[in-house]
Amino acid sequence: MIALIKTALMALYNILPSSPIKIITESTAFDGDFLSYLNWFVPFDICSTITLSWIGCILAYYTFKLVKEMILDKLIDILINII
């Protein structure tokens, strides 16, 4: 049964092209040197640094928010038990 499923999945996998981007670049005669020139106008290294910093800040905010809610819930439970 597992061999049959494996054969069916491999048949479906072989129908797909190896790389959709490869088909696009071959059909348009894409020049790979163009990317180095594009980097002068769109600094991808700076964009990736900014994106990673933004993700770090969002992660820190959600972590702070979660810890704050956990602490407040514990304090409320303690105050309710005291009263």
Side-chain angles (χ1 to χ4, degrees), residues 5-48:
I5 293 172
K6 182 179 176 182
T7 306
L9 287 176
M10 288 304 294
L12 289 173
Y13 179 74
N14 288 333
I15 292 173
L16 298 172
S18 60
S19 173
I21 294 174
K22 186 176 181 182
I23 294 170
I24 293 170
T25 58
E26 288 175 354
S27 65
T28 59
F30 184 74
D31 186 18
D33 294 333
F34 174 71
L35 292 177
S36 62
Y37 298 120
L38 181 63
N39 197 27
W40 278 91
F41 299 105
V42 180
F44 294 111
D45 55 341
I46 295 172
C47 291
S48 65

Side-chain angles (χ1 to χ4, degrees), residues 29-79:
F30 184 74
D31 186 18
D33 294 333
F34 174 71
L35 292 177
S36 62
Y37 298 120
L38 181 63
N39 197 27
W40 278 91
F41 299 105
V42 180
F44 294 111
D45 55 341
I46 295 172
C47 291
S48 65
T49 304
I50 291 171
T51 302
L52 287 174
S53 300
W54 180 77
I55 290 172
C57 290
I58 296 297
L59 182 63
Y61 169 74
Y62 281 123
T63 303
F64 171 76
K65 188 176 175 182
L66 179 67
V67 170
K68 183 181 86 169
E69 288 178 10
M70 290 171 56
I71 291 172
L72 285 176
D73 287 343
K74 291 284 185 182
L75 287 175
I76 289 172
D77 287 343
I78 291 171
L79 288 174

